[in-house]
Amino acid sequence: MKKNFLKMGIVFSIMAMVMPLKGQIQQMGTLNEPVDISVDFKSFTNTYYFANELKDFDPVTASGKVEYLRHEYSTRQAFNNMLASLVPVEANEFPGIEYEAKPNLPFDIDFVSPRTVRIRMNSGSDYTSDDPSLMLVNGTAPSDDSWKYSAVEGGHKYSNEFGSITVLENPWRVELRDENGKLLTSTNHASDNLDKTYTPVMPFSFVRRASDYSRSFSATMSLTPDEKIFGLGESYTNFNKRGSSVVLYTDDANGIQNESMYKPIPFYMSSNGYGVFMHTSTPITCDFGKYFSGVQQLMIGDETLDLFFFLGEPKEILDAYTDLTGKAAMPPLWSFGFWMSRITYFSEDDGRTVAKKLRENKVPCDVIHFDTGWFETDWRCDYKFSESRFDDPKKMISDLKDEGFMTCLWQLPYFVPKNSLFKEIVEKGLYVKNAKGNLPYEDAVLDFSNPETVKWYQAKIAGLLELGVGAIKVDFGEAAPLSGLKASGKTGFYEHNLYPLRYNKTVSDITQKVNGERIIWARSTWAGSQRYPLHWGGDPANTNTSMAAGLRGGLSIGLSGFTFWSHDIGGFVQACPEDLYARWTPFGMLTSHTRSHGAPPTEPWEYSKNFLNGFRDATNMRYELMPYIYAQAKYSSENGLPMLRALFVEYPEDPGAWLVDNQYLFGSDILVAPLFTSVTSRDVYLPGKGNWIDYQTGKSYAAGWNHIDAGAIPIVMLVKEGAVIPHIKLAQSTRFMDWSKIDLKVYGEEGKGLICLPSDNELKTLEVKGGVLVSNPTEGTTYKVIK
């Protein structure tokens, strides 16, 4: 069987070299191409309704109506250049007396928390039921009474200690300010653009399409000259989205260096002191000053507008957003160990051989992952181990667990016609349907909005978990048909982006029920998916630029409410060059979760002896840092913070921290700067004030720009002066770690840190003064202070 394992790995490598790699080119009109809503706001056939004036406002309920004026595009030729402009038009319905020419439509403000305000608007009558939202952790938003009303000239103001929201009547305008009265952003009215620019700017409005009478909003708001925008999910393009247009539509991105996303999230934060959550599951296109530099235009497919605004610094914004949509559950300790994988291990012998070699080579590891090849037919997911290649799966899983390895299994929610489960899925109606009630594709795509589908599917997953499987890889989930009809009664226009959230939840819930742990390994997401950790970054190429893009994606999803994130160390597409793999490894080891995966070989002993030694050193470092990692994970999950953290989250007062996208903070106290090219040193920005101390060499550096040599492990890694970093004795698995003895490395004369023992999962503070631990925060644990 070992021979078969090696042979199949060689075959995969050859196929990768000779078969052309194909992905989806955008704007080609192909299946499941991301939907760009912005085109509907540039059509000469559509009608645009501009928000104009506030009507019938009740200050007590903070609700009223907004009058809308109709506009359409018109042309004008000037100096051999055809110009398009938006001009007022009369009503075009017949009989005219039956329809409003200037509709007055609902507008509501809700106060959700001391830092959170909600604005809701309708573009027409709404007869749908107000069902609980899957995106909100409690289904509905809470209410808060800290906001106090005061009348102002021409409008209404609500304020508290963190800021204010003002609604002006004519012209209608909403202004958001901080606690000092600084204007953060305001809605854009047509009068803001008229005679002030030659560029036709679409103000705050909604579109009515001529093709089907459907409606969508454009929430157009101001941008300040130096304002920066971050978040929006796992976006691999520019870290700062100012000057960019971003389409939020879950897509099989086929890589991490293009504009589409596996994990779009309808949330972003501004350097100006606010964040925005677009509470919808429809496609969205956000233009952050790309078309016109002074405005942000949130073009939202939904016919109702539902926006949450959050006030504060980045930490406060993330905390408020995740209070609303949910904070990440704390994954089990073993998940923070190293995951060994490739595409793919095909047999029981493969799994046992890899486990044996990991221990022989003393490379710590906690998880063996079987990807697409554990079925009888590769990729054909039937939830059954191949009988010809697995003699006793349950015993294998048990034996691996005794050796300190958990088992993870790949699967997907698409079923080809040759799959033995296909007929049952179709006969029971468990699939997403087309307009006729038939299959939209050749595959059957499970409909997770159908409770019967969830029940059927969870039974399949439960059978695997009951064998002792630790985690399920929740792959794909981005291809639910746009026109598909779901059991929820909605089409893919409202359900496509929700599909990953339903999928994540379904697997996480059954894993929690059977194993008592919240752990999955998922690729696709939507708002709320952060509650169901964890997620990895798709399929990177084996290149320097892909490695750098991976970090931008990790930083961006961390600023979208996700605490935990991982990526394929070395890249996925082909066998990784040794130099790149060596530099990528410590970056992977210094993220919340870590996995080597992709085209073979991925196992460190398949490379040179020097590489194996370096890989082992990086893995050993991670395992010795496990008390720091686990405590930071606990703190981050409780506060909605990312483990892989943009510098400005900790240092918002440092202007330089907002400009860096090629280094990060690992938790609160460790700064990491990967080597993205074949170099041994690099420029590093150290934020804040005071000194930073090199983790590998002990050399001290002042805040600001420094050129720093990497250590023996090829990465630059520094610790904030005044930090206490807990360490543990090296073990080959987290299962065998001795948490009764913890070493405390103090960086400076005194310092503070965090500790969280897996036995009780309670976060405690460590404080060292004069080389002595002030007090023992945990019973039964001995702490040794090391300077």
Side-chain angles (χ1 to χ4, degrees):
M1 296 299 279
K2 179 179 178 182
K3 181 179 179 181
N4 185 49
F5 158 61
L6 295 172
K7 180 179 177 182
M8 288 184 173
I10 293 170
V11 169
F12 185 93
S13 297
I14 293 173
M15 288 176 64
M17 288 186 287
V18 300
M19 292 181 64
L21 300 173
K22 297 179 180 179
Q24 185 182 67
I25 300 176
Q26 303 305 308
Q27 308 304 319
M28 296 291 287
T30 55
L31 180 65
N32 266 320
E33 180 179 281
V35 176
D36 184 357
I37 292 295
S38 69
V39 297
D40 295 319
F41 287 89
K42 303 171 185 175
S43 170
F44 281 86
T45 63
N46 294 338
T47 303
Y48 303 94
Y49 291 76
F50 292 4
N52 183 54
E53 185 178 348
L54 184 66
K55 302 283 188 178
D56 304 324
F57 189 77
D58 182 351
V60 176
T61 61
S63 61
K65 293 185 176 181
V66 172
E67 175 193 69
Y68 291 84
L69 302 181
R70 300 181 186 218
H71 290 71
E72 291 180 356
Y73 279 105
S74 178
T75 59
R76 181 186 181 190
Q77 189 272 344
F79 302 105
N80 304 309
N81 186 28
M82 188 64 72
L83 309 176
S85 60
L86 290 156
V87 298
V89 294
E90 299 297 323
N92 63 352
E93 296 90 356
F94 181 84
I97 61 172
E98 302 294 341
Y99 307 97
E100 288 187 272
K102 301 177 182 179
N104 285 222
L105 297 167
F107 164 70
D108 295 278
I109 302 175
D110 299 311
F111 303 101
V112 176
S113 79
R115 293 189 181 275
T116 310
V117 179
R118 183 183 195 181
I119 292 178
R120 289 186 284 180
M121 305 178 77
N122 286 4
S123 62
S125 300
D126 186 1
Y127 302 110
T128 60
S129 58
D130 191 16
D131 295 328
S133 170
L134 194 61
M135 290 172 272
L136 306 183
V137 64
N138 295 316
T140 58
S143 59
D144 176 72
D145 61 3
S146 68
W147 297 80
K148 305 305 179 185
Y149 174 79
S150 61
V152 296
E153 183 178 355
H156 313 268
K157 180 179 179 180
Y158 299 87
S159 58
N160 67 8
E161 61 179 311
F162 299 118
S164 66
I165 182 170
T166 301
V167 185
L168 301 177
E169 294 181 347
N170 190 17
W172 175 79
R173 191 185 309 280
V174 177
E175 297 176 343
L176 198 67
R177 299 178 185 272
D178 69 7
E179 68 274 21
N180 298 315
K182 183 185 85 171
L183 180 65
L184 305 179
T185 190
S186 65
T187 55
N188 180 272
H189 186 269
S191 61
D192 296 329
N193 316 312
L194 189 65
D195 298 328
K196 297 176 183 177
T197 176
Y198 293 119
T199 305
V201 176
M202 182 68 66
F204 204 108
S205 59
F206 67 86
V207 60
R208 188 187 69 191
R209 298 175 182 85
S211 59
D212 60 3
Y213 239 55
S214 63
R215 305 178 303 277
S216 296
F217 267 95
S218 173
T220 307
M221 299 178 291
S222 64
L223 288 168
T224 58
D226 295 324
E227 189 169 352
K228 301 168 186 65
I229 302 293
F230 301 94
L232 298 165
E234 189 188 59
S235 175
Y236 294 106
T237 57
N238 295 338
F239 182 40
N240 173 12
K241 301 308 178 191
R242 180 67 182 267
S244 300
S245 179
V246 182
V247 174
L248 301 179
Y249 185 87
T250 308
D251 181 48
D252 183 346
N254 286 286
I256 66 168
Q257 291 174 267
N258 61 72
E259 62 186 352
S260 57
M261 286 185 270
Y262 303 104
K263 305 175 188 64
I265 301 296
F267 167 82
Y268 64 92
M269 67 172 64
S270 163
S271 61
N272 217 28
Y274 67 95
V276 179
F277 170 44
M278 297 161 275
H279 183 212
T280 181
S281 55
T282 63
I284 301 169
T285 299
C286 301
D287 185 309
F288 295 107
K290 180 178 183 291
Y291 170 72
F292 188 77
S293 65
V295 301
Q296 53 184 310
Q297 193 176 355
L298 313 180
M299 291 161 277
I300 298 171
D302 211 320
E303 62 188 32
T304 60
L305 182 69
D306 193 357
L307 300 178
F308 290 84
F309 292 86
F310 308 93
L311 302 175
E313 299 286 8
K315 280 187 175 181
E316 296 159 343
I317 291 169
L318 286 171
D319 191 34
Y321 168 68
T322 53
D323 278 346
L324 181 67
T325 60
K327 289 179 162 59
M330 182 67 176
L333 173 64
W334 60 260
S335 74
F336 293 94
F338 173 53
W339 299 48
M340 185 72 253
S341 179
R342 64 154 62 183
I343 183 166
T344 174
Y345 301 133
F346 286 97
S347 67
E348 179 175 333
D349 191 54
D350 288 353
R352 290 184 182 275
T353 298
V354 169
K356 181 181 178 182
K357 283 186 172 292
L358 283 161
R359 294 295 182 248
E360 286 178 349
N361 287 287
K362 296 189 181 302
V363 176
C365 181
D366 273 72
V367 183
I368 303 294
H369 171 68
F370 291 85
D371 213 62
T372 65
W374 60 281
F375 319 109
E376 195 63 50
T377 302
D378 193 14
W379 291 91
R380 192 183 297 171
C381 174
D382 59 4
Y383 306 106
K384 295 179 182 178
F385 281 92
S386 166
E387 294 182 358
S388 66
R389 300 194 302 277
F390 290 84
D391 296 331
D392 190 340
K394 186 172 183 178
K395 186 176 187 305
M396 177 197 72
I397 293 167
S398 177
D399 289 348
L400 289 175
K401 189 172 184 179
D402 289 342
E403 296 167 20
F405 298 102
M406 300 299 288
T407 300
C408 178
L409 298 178
W410 177 93
Q411 55 82 67
L412 82 172
Y414 314 148
F415 295 81
V416 298
K418 291 183 179 181
N419 193 307
S420 60
L421 298 172
F422 181 86
K423 183 178 179 181
E424 180 184 1
I425 292 168
V426 172
E427 288 178 348
K428 292 183 176 180
L430 306 179
Y431 60 95
V432 178
K433 300 174 176 61
N434 66 11
K436 189 178 180 179
N438 203 347
L439 289 172
Y441 310 146
E442 290 189 68
D443 291 358
V445 177
L446 292 180
D447 179 2
F448 291 114
S449 76
N450 183 346
E452 292 303 312
T453 302
V454 172
K455 181 179 178 181
W456 177 89
Y457 174 75
Q458 286 186 331
K460 302 295 184 186
I461 299 298
L464 300 171
L465 298 171
E466 288 163 359
L467 287 176
V469 170
I472 299 297
K473 183 174 176 179
V474 184
D475 207 359
F476 293 90
E478 305 96 350
L482 177 66
S483 59
L485 296 176
K486 309 297 197 307
S488 65
K490 298 177 181 179
T491 70
F493 192 77
Y494 283 88
E495 281 282 352
H496 172 92
N497 282 333
L498 271 185
Y499 193 92
L501 177 56
R502 294 187 186 278
Y503 183 25
N504 293 175
K505 181 180 187 300
T506 298
V507 182
S508 182
D509 283 352
I510 192 63
T511 304
Q512 169 72 23
K513 182 178 180 180
V514 176
N515 288 353
E517 297 173 335
R518 283 282 184 198
I519 179 69
I520 61 175
W521 191 274
R523 188 173 80 173
S524 57
T525 69
W526 191 247
S529 286
Q530 73 272 5
R531 303 193 297 263
Y532 312 110
L534 59 107
H535 300 83
W536 101 100
D539 301 338
N542 315 90
T543 63
N544 290 329
T545 54
S546 187
M547 180 183 171
L551 176 53
R552 291 195 300 273
L555 290 170
S556 291
I557 198 166
L559 295 172
S560 306
F562 284 71
T563 294
F564 304 110
W565 176 82
S566 186
H567 58 280
D568 291 344
I569 298 175
F572 175 84
V573 180
Q574 295 180 328
C576 187
E578 185 168 302
D579 168 69
L580 175 61
Y581 201 0
R583 290 182 283 107
W584 203 321
T585 295
F587 167 37
M589 294 296 169
L590 296 171
T591 52
S592 80
H593 290 77
T594 181
R595 180 181 77 158
S596 284
H597 177 69
T602 56
E603 299 77 18
W605 53 87
E606 298 289 347
Y607 291 81
S608 71
K609 184 177 180 180
N610 284 340
F611 176 87
L612 172 60
N613 291 337
F615 192 97
R616 183 191 301 114
D617 289 344
T619 313
N620 288 350
M621 177 180 67
R622 177 180 180 83
Y623 273 66
E624 290 173 345
L625 277 169
M626 196 57 66
Y628 172 81
I629 294 170
Y630 196 73
Q632 291 290 324
K634 180 67 172 177
Y635 180 84
S636 298
S637 68
E638 290 181 351
N639 292 277
L641 295 171
M643 281 283 285
L644 189 144
R645 196 170 302 172
L647 304 189
F648 64 75
V649 174
E650 291 290 335
Y651 301 94
E653 75 289 345
D654 184 339
W658 294 86
L659 304 176
V660 178
D661 68 355
N662 63 356
Q663 56 186 75
Y664 62 96
L665 292 166
F666 184 42
S668 59
D669 297 327
I670 295 177
L671 185 144
V672 181
L675 304 180
F676 294 110
T677 57
S678 298
V679 296
T680 58
S681 62
R682 58 163 288 178
D683 292 329
V684 180
Y685 185 77
L686 303 180
K689 300 176 181 180
N691 295 328
W692 291 78
I693 301 168
D694 192 303
Y695 182 82
Q696 299 190 70
T697 68
K699 185 176 180 180
S700 181
Y701 297 88
W705 283 106
N706 293 268
H707 191 83
I708 303 177
D709 292 328
I713 297 172
I715 199 161
V716 177
M717 180 180 173
L718 301 106
V719 180
K720 182 172 61 177
E721 188 174 52
V724 174
I725 307 295
H727 289 66
I728 198 167
K729 184 179 179 181
L730 180 64
Q732 294 300 299
S733 167
T734 59
R735 184 177 183 182
F736 306 135
M737 287 180 171
D738 181 4
W739 289 79
S740 68
K741 298 177 182 178
I742 301 294
D743 290 341
L744 303 180
K745 295 188 179 181
V746 184
Y747 292 81
E749 295 302 316
E750 56 184 45
K752 291 184 178 181
L754 296 171
I755 190 72
C756 180
L757 300 184
S759 57
D760 59 18
N761 266 332
E762 291 185 10
L763 200 63
K764 304 288 179 63
T765 299
L766 299 166
E767 185 174 5
V768 174
K769 289 185 177 180
V772 178
L773 182 65
V774 173
S775 62
N776 191 325
T778 55
E779 293 184 7
T781 300
T782 301
Y783 294 92
K784 180 180 179 181
V785 177
I786 301 173
K787 288 198 68 177

